[in-house]
Amino acid sequence: MPAARVQVLYNPVDMERCRPDPARRAALLRELGLDEHALVLGCFGRLHAGKGIYTLLDAANAAMAQEPRLHCLWLGDGIDTERLRKSIAASPFAARHHQLGWIADASPYYNALSLLAFPSIAPEAFGRTSVEAQACSVPVLVSAAGGLPETLQPGITGLLLPPGDTDAWRDGILALCDDARRQSMAAVARNFVVRYFSAIAIAAEFVRQLGDPWS
């Protein structure tokens, strides 16, 4: 089929389920044994090498050497779960990594985050956790791989980084550890999702496409 005849609509994000919740954030930080000043970097999804988890682990450890407030929260499961666990245990900042395993509904945990990483080194069709995190006013670090760049406004709601480049990911993490920069991105992230990925936005685009299907 000619590309001009193909229209893509994103699966909408539940903006009520994915929203900022300070009380939930405080409770989750307490569960993790962290204080309110901790900076929590999240990685949510399947745990295998193609997702860039080892690049992220190395980058996070390098950033932790410079930023004492930084912690990393890992949610998910996969073929490399045990290998990641051993790599974390052998790392210099093992106590600052929190690997919680598979959780059926990850949406509450976005509120524990200061920033979210989507570090895939393999092309992705999309990156839903990136969008859901921004709906919770969490800025993101995203690989320039496949459809992932469509999930953020680079330099505004997060940073777009080269896949597999540990130094670039370390620098990106440290850049968003800067409170002013991170907070300015957090302030606009949810509005970005409302505009492009909310149910209202997707429904309006669907109606528009029905009205002019070959536009």
Side-chain angles (χ1 to χ4, degrees), residues 69-164:
R69 298 177 297 165
L70 184 63
H71 291 253
C72 196
L73 177 62
W74 304 84
L75 260 64
D77 202 356
I79 59 174
D80 282 331
T81 297
E82 189 57 32
R83 179 184 165 195
L84 177 64
R85 191 182 309 279
K86 291 177 180 178
S87 296
I88 288 172
S91 74
F93 300 102
R96 289 159 65 183
H97 291 272
H98 311 269
Q99 192 174 354
L100 301 189
W102 172 258
I103 293 177
D105 181 9
S107 58
Y109 286 85
Y110 290 117
N111 281 283
L113 304 185
S114 309
L115 56 158
L116 177 127
F118 204 129
S120 289
I121 57 178
E124 297 276 356
F126 191 56
R128 189 166 183 84
T129 58
S130 170
V131 177
E132 290 181 343
Q134 290 170 88
C136 295
S137 297
V138 176
V140 294
L141 302 165
V142 173
S143 281
L148 288 176
E150 300 175 35
T151 68
L152 78 160
Q153 286 182 291
I156 298 174
T157 66
L159 300 177
L160 194 61
L161 300 171

Side-chain angles (χ1 to χ4, degrees), residues 2-215:
R5 292 194 171 192
V6 177
Q7 305 298 327
V8 176
L9 295 177
Y10 299 111
N11 289 324
V13 171
D14 186 334
M15 300 301 297
E16 178 60 26
R17 193 185 61 164
C18 296
R19 60 184 175 85
D21 187 334
R24 180 171 284 172
R25 171 176 171 78
L28 287 168
L29 290 178
R30 286 195 299 270
E31 287 180 22
L32 294 169
L34 304 177
D35 65 40
E36 61 180 326
H37 302 295
L39 296 175
V40 182
L41 167 65
C43 183
F44 295 2
R46 288 182 294 133
L47 299 180
H48 65 80
K51 292 291 186 178
I53 55 176
Y54 300 111
T55 297
L56 181 62
L57 176 60
D58 291 342
N61 282 328
M64 286 174 181
Q66 299 184 50
E67 175 50 79
R69 298 177 297 165
L70 184 63
H71 291 253
C72 196
L73 177 62
W74 304 84
L75 260 64
D77 202 356
I79 59 174
D80 282 331
T81 297
E82 189 57 32
R83 179 184 165 195
L84 177 64
R85 191 182 309 279
K86 291 177 180 178
S87 296
I88 288 172
S91 74
F93 300 102
R96 289 159 65 183
H97 291 272
H98 311 269
Q99 192 174 354
L100 301 189
W102 172 258
I103 293 177
D105 181 9
S107 58
Y109 286 85
Y110 290 117
N111 281 283
L113 304 185
S114 309
L115 56 158
L116 177 127
F118 204 129
S120 289
I121 57 178
E124 297 276 356
F126 191 56
R128 189 166 183 84
T129 58
S130 170
V131 177
E132 290 181 343
Q134 290 170 88
C136 295
S137 297
V138 176
V140 294
L141 302 165
V142 173
S143 281
L148 288 176
E150 300 175 35
T151 68
L152 78 160
Q153 286 182 291
I156 298 174
T157 66
L159 300 177
L160 194 61
L161 300 171
D165 187 331
T166 300
D167 290 344
W169 279 83
R170 174 204 61 208
D171 294 345
I173 293 168
L174 289 171
L176 294 196
C177 287
D178 177 81
D179 293 338
R181 188 170 189 184
R182 185 182 67 260
Q183 289 164 7
S184 70
M185 291 181 169
V188 297
R190 182 171 172 84
N191 285 341
F192 165 68
V193 178
V194 168
R195 183 176 180 183
Y196 292 103
F197 302 103
S198 66
I200 291 174
I202 300 304
E205 179 62 15
F206 181 60
V207 171
R208 191 186 74 81
Q209 292 296 342
L210 287 178
D212 187 6
W214 310 127
S215 64

